[in-house]
Amino acid sequence: MAEMVAMAHEALRGLISAPENKELECREFLQYAKGALVRDTVIEFVYVEKERRGTSGDSDYIVSCKVCDETGVESVKAYIWELKAPQCYVFEKDTENRLRPTKELVQAENQLLHYYHEHKGCEQFKNDFGVTHSDNVLFGGIIIGCHARRTKGDYQEEKRNKLFEKALMIRKKYIYDPLHIRIIHWDYILDLLKHPMSPERNPVEAHEVLSQPLDPESIVVTSSP
């Protein structure tokens, strides 16, 4: 298993640095880091589905698991995630001193809100994912971009970093944090494949629903020159 995760790390690193959009290829690596996509203490994973069909579109990645809170109460919770390629920028230049979200980030936010709203009220969704109460259908978040593609604009590096931190802080304070929405770079997923996982964040479960087991050697990686 350790060898497989190491192979996955190298393959994902190549996909992140590739010039072309690699969203679908990168999505396959979430099977190795799905423990990082949920909250609470995981007892076991129940169900994972990609491209969950809904009336408003297809959810990119949904994972449900049995969890235990601080009082020992167990429940099954489902987390809904929207994905964009590591080649997508998160923010772009608006003015000399202000950034705005890219169209890819705005699209991800809009999709996530619609999918969450629909699935939360769907009995078939709750049955499929083992959730007994609508309150346990939760926002996961958005995985988009990478460290090298955080901000698009002709800024000096120091100013670019400060503007990114400010733009993200504002969006988290007034939108993401109140709704418990997380925003993650693909570099974060890559880092999880490099460092050992804790027991409650076991990267692979035998019963995870996947169309085919991932073979990192079968992935063709195109790197930037």
Side-chain angles (χ1 to χ4, degrees):
M1 184 59 66
E3 181 180 356
M4 175 63 77
V5 174
M7 292 168 60
H9 176 268
E10 291 305 309
L12 180 58
R13 183 169 63 177
L15 291 170
I16 290 173
S17 63
E20 306 92 354
N21 185 306
K22 296 294 183 180
E23 176 189 324
L24 296 182
E25 294 89 338
C26 288
R27 181 176 66 186
E28 297 303 318
F29 292 85
L30 294 179
Q31 63 177 296
Y32 297 107
K34 62 183 183 293
L37 305 182
V38 304
R39 300 190 291 272
D40 302 304
T41 300
V42 177
I43 299 172
E44 62 177 347
F45 288 94
V46 176
Y47 190 66
V48 173
E49 188 171 343
K50 300 172 289 185
E51 299 292 342
R52 172 79 181 195
R53 180 59 54 88
T55 58
S56 57
D58 298 343
S59 299
D60 284 335
Y61 200 85
I62 306 173
V63 55
S64 68
C65 54
K66 182 183 291 186
V67 301
C68 181
D69 68 13
E70 296 84 350
T71 66
V73 175
E74 297 181 3
S75 60
V76 175
K77 296 183 179 181
Y79 298 85
I80 301 171
W81 286 86
E82 187 61 27
L83 314 179
K84 296 299 177 185
Q87 288 73 31
C88 295
Y89 286 91
V90 183
F91 294 106
E92 62 185 4
K93 185 176 182 178
D94 192 12
T95 70
E96 285 301 319
N97 295 297
R98 185 180 68 234
L99 300 179
R100 65 188 178 202
T102 59
K103 64 179 182 180
E104 290 83 6
L105 178 57
V106 172
Q107 182 184 49
E109 292 171 346
N110 188 53
Q111 290 170 318
L112 182 63
L113 291 170
H114 278 82
Y115 301 155
Y116 168 80
H117 179 75
E118 178 178 346
H119 296 326
K120 191 177 182 69
C122 177
E123 291 302 319
Q124 185 62 55
F125 176 91
K126 286 180 282 188
N127 289 337
D128 289 346
F129 285 88
V131 176
T132 58
H133 196 283
S134 295
D135 287 347
N136 288 335
V137 178
L138 305 170
F139 284 115
I142 298 167
I143 307 177
I144 182 174
C146 61
H147 185 78
R149 299 184 181 96
R150 298 193 303 175
T151 304
K152 184 178 182 180
D154 55 347
Y155 299 105
Q156 293 294 323
E157 188 65 21
E158 183 178 359
K159 185 172 185 179
R160 180 194 304 271
N161 292 336
K162 288 183 177 179
L163 289 177
F164 174 83
E165 291 171 4
K166 181 180 180 181
L168 183 60
M169 177 275 293
I170 290 173
R171 214 158 188 81
K172 288 178 67 176
K173 181 175 182 178
Y174 297 107
I175 301 176
Y176 299 152
D177 287 353
L179 297 175
H180 303 290
I181 293 174
R182 297 166 63 199
I183 182 165
I184 292 176
H185 284 327
W186 283 103
D187 287 327
Y188 177 76
I189 303 300
L190 179 67
D191 202 43
L192 292 176
L193 301 186
K194 182 178 180 181
H195 300 295
M197 297 270 187
S198 59
E200 67 271 21
R201 290 193 170 184
N202 189 352
V204 180
E205 295 288 334
H207 55 266
E208 179 171 4
V209 178
L210 290 170
S211 56
Q212 292 292 335
L214 177 64
D215 178 6
E217 291 185 316
S218 69
I219 298 175
V220 178
V221 177
T222 304
S223 300
S224 302

